[in-house]
Amino acid sequence: MQLRLAIENSEGTLNDSTVTTRRTHTSAIKGLIQHPMRELDTWQDVIRGFSPAWFTVSMGTGMASMLFYNFPYEWTPLKYIAMAIALLDLLMFVVTLVLFTWRLVQYRDFFNILLHPQMSMLLGTVPMSFSTVITSVVTILAPYNVTWMPMLALVLWYISIPFAVLSCLAIPFLITSHQKHVFECVNATLFLPVIPTVVASSAGAIVASVHSGTMAVAVVLTSYALWAMGVGISLMLLTYYIVRLVLHKLPSPEIIISAFIPPGVLGQSSYAIQLLGVQALRVFPDALSQMTYLGEVLHDLGFFIGFLFWSLAIWWLAHAIYSVLYTRFHGSVPFNLGWWALIFPTGSFISSSIKLWSLTGYTFFRILASIMSVCVVTLWIVVTLHTIHYAWTGELLKPINIRHLELHAYAEGKDVQSPEQQV
C-alpha cells in the first residue's frame, strides 16, 4: 500500500512538473509573439541596424531555388518549389534593397561603412545578390520562351556589372589605402568584395544562353573579363588567408562560419568557367569565323580548369567543415547572419559538381551533387528559421557602431570593441 501511494505521488509530481513546463513554454512563445523586437530600444533601430549582411539571406535563398531547380534527379514538383522560392528571393531582394537604401539615406553613413574594415566587405553581397536574382529569372523562365525575358535579363545584367566591378576595385583600394586592418583579425569575408565579378560572369553565361550573334559574343567576352578579374585577386587572397590561419589559427567562434567562403569562391569560379566554355562553343564558331577553333579550345579549357578549381575547393571545404566542428567541440558557435555563408558558397560547389556531371556524364558527380543538395537545402531551412526567430526578437538588428575614430583606435591597440566582434 505504501509503495502504491509513493508511486501515485511521484506520478502526480511528474504530471505537475510536465504541466508547469508546458505552461512555461507556452508563456515564452506568447511573450515572443506579443513582444517583437524586444531586444531593440526603438523601432528606428530596425533601420539603423540594417547592415548589408542581410543581402546574404537573398543570396542563400536564390541558391536554394537553383538547387531545387537543377537537382540531378528530375522530379517535376521540385521545379514548382524552385519557382516559389525564386519569387520569394526576388521579394526579399527588393525589400532588403529598400531597407538598406532607407538606412543610407536616413543616417548618411555610407562613407563610414566604406571605411569600416568589416562592414565594407559585406557591400560585395549586394551585386552578388542581384546576380543571383538574374540567374534565377533566366533559368526558370527560359523554357517558357517568354518574349520579353532575354532583353530584360540583358539590361539587368548590364546594370549589375558596374556595381560588381566597383566592389572589386574600390573596396580593395580602400583596404590598402584608408582602412586599418589587424592581421590577426582578418577572416574570409575579405573575399566578398572581389567575388561579385565571378558571380556576374556566371550570370553572364546564363544570360548569353538566351541570346545569339554579336550580342551573345559581347556578353561572353565581358564575362570572361569579369571572371579573370575576380579569380586572379581571389587566388592571391587565398594565399594571404592561409598564411593568416597558419600564424594566428582559426577565427573566433562568432565568425568561424566564414570558413565556408573560400570553397565557395573556388566552386563559383569552377562553375562560371564551365558555363562560359559551353557558351563559347555555341557562339564563337559562327560569330568569330576567323578563329575557327577558339570555341572548342575554350570549351575544353573550361572543363579542365573548372575541374582543377573544383578539386582545390574540396580541400577548402573539408577544412571549413573541420574548422566549424573543432570550434563547436571546444565551445559554442553563436548564431548570426554569418551562418548564411553555409548556403551560397556550398551551393556554388554543388553547382560546379552538377555542371561537371552534365559535361562528363560521370555518375559520381551526380550522386555527390544530389547528397550535398539535400544537406544544403536542409541547412537553408534551419538557418532560415533561426533568422526569422532572431530577426523577430531584434537580436539581428541591433545597431552597430561604425564610427571611424573607434576603428582607428582599435587598429592602434586601444581598448575598444574589435570590428570582428561588432559584426
Side-chain angles (χ1 to χ4, degrees), residues 156-177:
L156 292 177
W157 183 70
Y158 273 118
I159 292 174
S160 72
I161 291 177
F163 294 99
V165 173
L166 193 61
S167 173
C168 189
L169 294 179
I171 298 178
F173 173 75
L174 292 174
I175 291 173
T176 58
S177 62

Side-chain angles (χ1 to χ4, degrees), residues 27 35 112 213 235 260 263 294 355 410:
S27 300
H35 302 285
N112 288 335
L235 291 177
F260 281 87
L294 180 60
K355 197 61 187 177
Y410 170 71

Side-chain angles (χ1 to χ4, degrees), residues 363-386:
T363 307
F364 168 77
F365 294 115
R366 187 182 192 185
I367 296 175
L368 176 65
S370 301
I371 295 173
M372 291 191 67
S373 293
V374 173
C375 294
V376 170
V377 167
T378 303
L379 284 173
W380 171 69
I381 295 172
V382 172
V383 174
T384 299
L385 293 176
H386 277 72

